[in-house]
Amino acid sequence: PPPAPAGAVAAEFVRLAGRPGPGPWSVSEHAERLGVTPGRLTEAVKAATGRTAAQLLREARTREAQRFLLRTDLTVRQVARRVGFADPAYFCRFFRRETGLSPGDFRRGGDKHHD
């Protein structure tokens, strides 16, 4: 089949990446699911959104983690696993880099930081 137009690829990626719940968390997994190369996916998403596919996936992962931290009693280790991190320490570093807060600090003051 002919390749899908870049705009359609980008739109489908944004839709998939924005869905809550477990999902693929890598650009290559999404590219495979969409039937394109990771490079084509990245180019299409960058052209359509001004941000890279990896940036959008980090934002989606962060939103999912925030949702779990605010709305569940899951431990940080359990939240880490749910958003695709095998190592809770790495998840904590990721979360702090993305939000400026540790998962515990976010949970304690989460309602003040929630959009």
Side-chain angles (χ1 to χ4, degrees):
V9 169
E12 183 62 8
F13 170 80
V14 168
R15 187 186 72 74
L16 288 172
R19 281 190 351 213
W25 294 115
S26 76
V27 173
S28 53
E29 288 173 302
H30 276 281
E32 185 176 322
R33 179 180 265 185
L34 295 171
V36 297
T37 65
R40 176 157 163 72
L41 177 59
T42 297
E43 288 172 13
V45 171
K46 180 80 170 176
T49 68
R51 299 196 314 264
T52 67
Q55 284 174 306
L56 293 175
L57 287 174
R58 283 193 308 272
E59 291 168 11
R61 250 178 150 170
T62 301
R63 276 193 309 275
E64 187 74 351
Q66 289 172 324
R67 186 176 69 80
F68 282 127
L69 290 166
L70 290 176
R71 298 184 183 155
T72 72
D73 291 327
L74 295 172
T75 66
V76 170
R77 177 180 299 273
Q78 291 168 321
V79 171
R81 210 170 291 126
R82 295 264 177 108
V83 296
F85 289 90
D87 179 359
Y90 182 68
F91 165 70
C92 290
R93 288 193 302 274
F94 166 86
F95 192 88
R96 183 181 294 276
R97 186 178 67 236
E98 295 297 314
T99 67
L101 296 167
S102 71
D105 287 345
F106 179 83
R107 178 174 265 165
R108 284 186 286 279
D111 55 346
K112 296 176 194 134
H113 306 294
H114 189 56
D115 357 5

